[in-house]
Amino acid sequence: MKKILIADDAGFCFGVKRAMNIAWNEVTSTENEKIYALGPLIHNKQAVAKYEEKGLVTVDEIGQIEDQSSKMIIRSHGVAKKIYDEAEDHGLEVVDTTCPFVKKIHTLAKKAYDEGKQVIILGDASHPEIIGINGWCQNSAIIFKTLEQFKEIDLDKSKEYLVVSQTTMNEKEFEKIVEYIDKLDMNINIENTICSATRVRQNSARKIASQVDAMVVIGGRHSSNTQKLVKICSESVDTYAVETKKELEGVSFDTYEIIGVTAGASTPDWIIEEVIDYLSSL
């Protein structure tokens, strides 16, 4: 039997758990009324499927909502201000499940923009969270992902800047960028907006990866925080990234005695438990 070590911090974070609970209450308490979600509730298709079985309809844009008197769920990643305006114009009732940590960044970005500052966002430009944040400063933000990209930004000494980050940003990369900015003679204010759940999960993954022969990281392929856990673990040990236990069935763990397990912030407990049960049976 293999020895299985489970990360102290794994699975649903506060923001995701809150969003999923709110959404579940909506889909289970409403009869004969469609509930729409603007984009997948979370980056975990197995979890989303359970909600869609209860009647949730996932759409990519407000124009796809047929009944203009329906409820529309804004997911935990948050959206741009114009989405709220569009929903109001269409007469939709908004069920806002935006993570409070993300809401804080919206407020910071809007305030900085209103004060005439240039907003800089550290993160993945194509991620819905970043798209939403950018929408609170009139899509004027400078967006970059690495220190190398930041060095290419043509900064203006006459301007004031605000730097914020994606809540799931790799903290080590963020620290490198902060260290570089501190050496510049520029008016740049930095807000560390990496959420505490991301921080503890990354530290927990890093710690357990140093104690095992292999790591299994559970989470959605499109989950930013999950993929960062994969990167952190793979720097120390052989790492297998899976969405469900089924993907492990063809993997040989014969050469590993101790296997570590962690999971992204949008991975439900039941998926984690299935993986642990499978590994424990080897």
Side-chain angles (χ1 to χ4, degrees):
M1 181 179 290
K2 305 294 183 182
K3 183 177 181 180
I4 312 299
L5 297 184
I6 304 163
D8 291 335
D9 299 282
F12 276 178
C13 65
F14 158 76
V16 169
K17 187 176 291 186
R18 171 182 172 273
M20 297 301 274
N21 285 342
I22 293 172
W24 188 257
N25 288 338
E26 290 293 336
V27 297
T28 56
S29 64
T30 306
E31 294 183 7
N32 302 320
E33 181 183 349
K34 283 185 178 179
I35 306 292
Y36 293 85
L38 188 60
L41 278 178
I42 57 174
H43 283 152
N44 187 285
K45 62 186 180 183
Q46 292 80 18
V48 171
K50 286 187 174 293
Y51 285 69
E52 291 178 338
E53 288 169 7
K54 287 289 184 179
L56 181 70
V57 180
T58 302
V59 296
D60 295 320
E61 53 189 43
I62 290 177
Q64 293 176 291
I65 298 177
E66 301 167 359
D67 185 353
Q68 298 300 295
S69 62
S70 299
K71 290 182 179 181
M72 182 186 77
I73 296 174
I74 290 176
R75 57 188 175 169
S76 59
H77 293 117
V79 294
K81 183 182 181 301
K82 71 173 186 177
I83 299 298
Y84 293 91
D85 297 336
E86 278 184 48
E88 185 176 350
D89 291 342
H90 284 76
L92 294 168
E93 181 182 342
V94 170
V95 178
D96 194 352
T97 74
T98 304
C99 172
F101 289 108
V102 177
K103 278 279 193 185
K104 176 188 174 183
I105 309 175
H106 292 173
T107 302
L108 289 170
K110 184 178 186 305
K111 183 174 183 291
Y113 178 82
D114 291 344
E115 292 174 349
K117 299 175 183 176
Q118 173 65 60
V119 177
I120 299 177
I121 308 173
L122 171 56
D124 182 351
S126 63
H127 192 280
E129 181 185 317
I130 299 300
I131 294 169
I133 295 168
N134 196 18
W136 286 88
C137 54
Q138 298 296 316
N139 297 312
S140 65
I142 297 170
I143 303 170
F144 71 102
K145 195 172 183 180
T146 65
L147 176 58
E148 288 67 31
Q149 290 173 343
F150 181 79
K151 289 178 178 178
E152 294 175 3
I153 299 173
D154 186 16
L155 298 173
D156 184 344
K157 286 201 172 189
S158 67
K159 281 187 177 182
E160 287 186 64
Y161 294 88
L162 170 71
V163 176
V164 295
S165 77
Q166 192 168 335
T167 56
T168 57
M169 180 65 197
N170 185 308
E171 191 163 38
K172 296 295 183 184
E173 184 70 25
F174 182 82
E175 288 170 357
K176 284 196 298 183
I177 292 164
V178 170
E179 184 179 346
Y180 176 80
I181 291 174
D182 284 343
K183 295 175 182 176
L184 301 176
D185 182 23
M186 302 285 296
N187 193 347
I188 303 176
N189 179 38
I190 303 168
E191 290 280 353
N192 186 344
T193 52
I194 300 173
C195 82
S196 56
T198 295
R199 189 174 297 112
V200 297
R201 274 163 178 72
Q202 290 182 1
N203 289 338
S204 182
R206 195 173 284 110
K207 178 182 176 182
I208 198 170
S210 68
Q211 302 171 357
V212 300
D213 302 316
M215 282 293 298
V216 174
V217 182
I218 316 162
R221 293 275 184 274
H222 302 293
S223 166
S224 173
N225 72 86
T226 299
Q227 298 314 311
K228 288 181 177 66
L229 293 178
V230 172
K231 185 175 185 298
I232 287 169
C233 294
S234 61
E235 289 170 354
S236 302
V237 72
D238 290 346
T239 300
Y240 300 90
V242 300
E243 289 191 346
T244 67
K245 69 149 187 160
K246 189 169 182 60
E247 294 172 62
L248 289 174
E249 291 173 2
V251 178
S252 172
F253 288 93
D254 291 347
T255 59
Y256 308 121
E257 292 300 320
I258 308 173
I259 303 169
V261 177
T262 190
S266 53
T267 308
D269 289 346
W270 59 272
I271 291 181
I272 299 172
E273 289 165 5
E274 284 183 351
V275 169
I276 292 170
D277 287 345
Y278 174 76
L279 292 172
S280 298
S281 71
L282 295 176

